Structures are given as structure tokens and as C-alpha cells.
Amino acid sequence: MPLNPERVEWRAECASTNTLLREQAEAGAPSGKVLVAERQTAGRGRCGRLWLSSPEKSLTFSVLYKGKSTGTLAGLSLAAGLALLRALENLGARALRLKWPNDLLCRKNGMDAKLAGVLMECAGDMTIIGIGLNLKAPDLPEQATAGLADCLDMLLEKPALLAAIVGELDSMWADFAAHGFAPLRADWQARHVWQGKPVRLMEDGRVLAEGRCCGVDDSGALRLAAADGEQTFWAGDLSLRAGDA
Ligand code: BTN
């Protein structure tokens, strides 16, 4: 179903849709507003990283929701990744996986390559969900990256793609507001790329922990079974432990 055009703003360019939408929210933009930019000049990724995108190769947008919800921010962030995956699967995308906390991967040339990222930000009762989706793989030779064209035979036009994703985000937001992350946990874990595998969690170039990935708890925290018992984590970058794949 097409999105109500009144809730969507398309910009040719802005620094970051997350930043601009937050400013708009503070100035009174309504819950449900969607801000799309063909080009971001200072797109932001997780952990302070830069997010590069281009009009031909990416769909970059943010959605604003206002109101309190039951679950934690960590759980909401995972739920947003799951909503994105479900939307693309419903359109026919194959071999999609999630990587904690909310990277979307797809299988490409025998590897799990990054297809999309989610940057969730909250202030008071405002939540901004920013999504950067590669339509074609970006030229980042040092990273395994994929585009939707790698896992979906027929690409939709951007407005139809946006409507499909925002529709799933809207449903997720309503469910999450009422029930939190717990009912989504089993589905999320079934899609987790390294569930049960030996992994390493890093932060700022430092190893936080190593162990077997046991999935997530009801609040969305990562569970690792390490030599000295199970631990939970709220932040970090996960990778498969070298040599153990
Ligand atoms: C990640 O690091 O994987 C998250 C990337 C999120 C990028 C999106 S693009 C739209 C929105 N605006 C931003 O500045 N960032 C998010």
C-alpha cells in the first residue's frame, strides 16, 4: 500500500536524515513522519562511524515515532532490524540474516555481506529509526557489502520499497509499544547469522569478550557463553572468531 504522501518528505540532500528529523521532531513534526534523502553529506552510522551512500545505489531515510513503549531501547533496535528483514523477505529477497544488534546481511559469494544498517536514536519520548539500505553494493573493497540486487530479482522503485519497509516498521512499533521485544525474540534468534557460533565482541578496537553466541535476552542484550560463564552485553561489534567458522 502506498504511504500517505503527507507523512513523507523527500529531500535531494541533507547532512543526515536522523539529525534533521530530530530537529523537525523538536519543532513539532508528528509521529509517523518519514524523511528521505537522496544524498547525505554527513550520514551517520553506529558507534560514531560515517555512513556513505549515493542516490543511485542506496535508499536512506528516517522514521519518527513519538510515545512511550514497553521495552528497552536495545530491544527496539533489534525489532527494527527484524522489521526491515521481514519487509524485504515479503518482497522476495532471499538469504537474509541479522547480525546483532541490527545489521542486515545477505549471502553473497559464499559470505555474509552487509546489506543495510539501522541507527536508532531516542530523546525523551521520541524515537528516530534511521535506515541505510544498499540497492547496489557500494565500492568498499575492504568490507563485505551487498546490494538488494544481489538477493532480489526484481527491484522496486524507491517509493514502493519505502512503503513496504515503513509498513513493517509501523506494525513493529505498535506491537513493541504493547508487548516489548520478548514475543519477537525467537524469530530474531532464528535469523541471527552467528547463533550458537564462536564469536568475538569488540569495542573501540578492544576485545570485550569471546565465547559462544547464545542469542539475546528479552531486553535485547547479547548473551555470550564465555569460559567463565554467561555474560550479557549492550554494545559492541560482533564478528565470527577467526579460524572457528
Ligand atoms: C550502521 O552503522 O550500520 C547504521 C547505519 C545507518 C545509516 C542511516 S542512513 C539514514 C539515517 N541517517 C543517518 O545519518 N544514518 C541513518
Side-chain angles (χ1 to χ4, degrees):
M1 209 167 62
L3 284 177
N4 176 352
E6 283 179 13
R7 69 181 281 201
V8 187
E9 179 181 349
W10 290 83
R11 291 224 173 184
E13 185 175 296
C14 72
S16 150
T17 55
N18 264 37
T19 308
L20 181 56
L21 188 55
R22 179 174 173 165
E23 288 163 13
Q24 293 181 341
E26 284 163 357
S31 184
K33 166 139 195 200
V34 181
L35 178 62
V36 192
E38 290 295 341
R39 185 185 298 279
Q40 296 183 119
T41 53
R44 295 184 290 112
R46 282 182 59 237
C47 309
R49 288 186 284 256
L50 209 62
W51 181 263
L52 300 173
S53 53
S54 70
E56 314 75 38
K57 291 190 172 181
S58 16
L59 175 64
T60 49
F61 65 96
S62 302
V63 188
L64 167 69
Y65 294 107
K66 287 181 168 173
K68 287 261 174 276
S69 69
T70 306
T72 59
L73 178 59
L76 183 57
S77 172
L78 268 60
L82 184 61
L84 175 62
L85 177 146
R86 285 175 174 172
L88 298 180
E89 269 189 357
N90 289 341
L91 296 174
R94 303 170 299 267
L96 301 182
R97 286 284 176 271
L98 293 164
K99 185 181 85 151
W100 187 87
N102 52 21
D103 279 0
L104 183 63
L105 312 179
C106 87
R107 202 78 192 148
K108 181 183 171 188
N109 301 333
M111 293 171 74
D112 292 299
K114 183 154 173 172
L115 178 64
V118 179
L119 180 68
M120 163 103 42
E121 295 179 304
C122 288
D125 74 340
M126 297 184 306
T127 302
I128 291 164
I129 302 176
I131 294 187
L133 169 64
N134 301 328
L135 304 178
K136 294 184 189 142
D139 305 318
L140 297 170
E142 72 282 7
Q143 287 175 28
T145 49
L148 201 51
D150 291 309
C151 56
L152 185 61
D153 294 331
M154 214 177 67
L155 278 192
L156 301 179
E157 296 296 323
K158 284 187 187 181
L161 195 51
L162 179 75
I165 298 169
V166 172
E168 274 302 325
L169 287 174
D170 286 351
S171 309
M172 177 280 297
W173 175 257
D175 285 353
F176 193 92
H179 309 294
F181 178 68
L184 301 172
R185 182 178 153 197
D187 196 13
W188 190 93
Q189 291 187 157
R191 319 307 189 87
H192 191 213
V193 64
W194 296 324
Q195 188 72 13
K197 298 259 169 73
V199 292
R200 173 175 296 138
L201 190 68
M202 307 273 299
E203 193 172 49
D204 298 331
R206 188 171 66 87
V207 177
L208 281 184
E210 290 186 328
R212 190 173 54 82
C213 176
C214 310
V216 290
D217 68 14
D218 277 351
S219 65
L222 180 73
R223 297 167 53 217
L224 286 190
D228 51 352
E230 188 176 305
Q231 291 176 278
T232 52
F233 295 90
W234 297 93
D237 280 318
L238 203 58
S239 57
L240 199 58
R241 234 160 57 197
D244 288 328

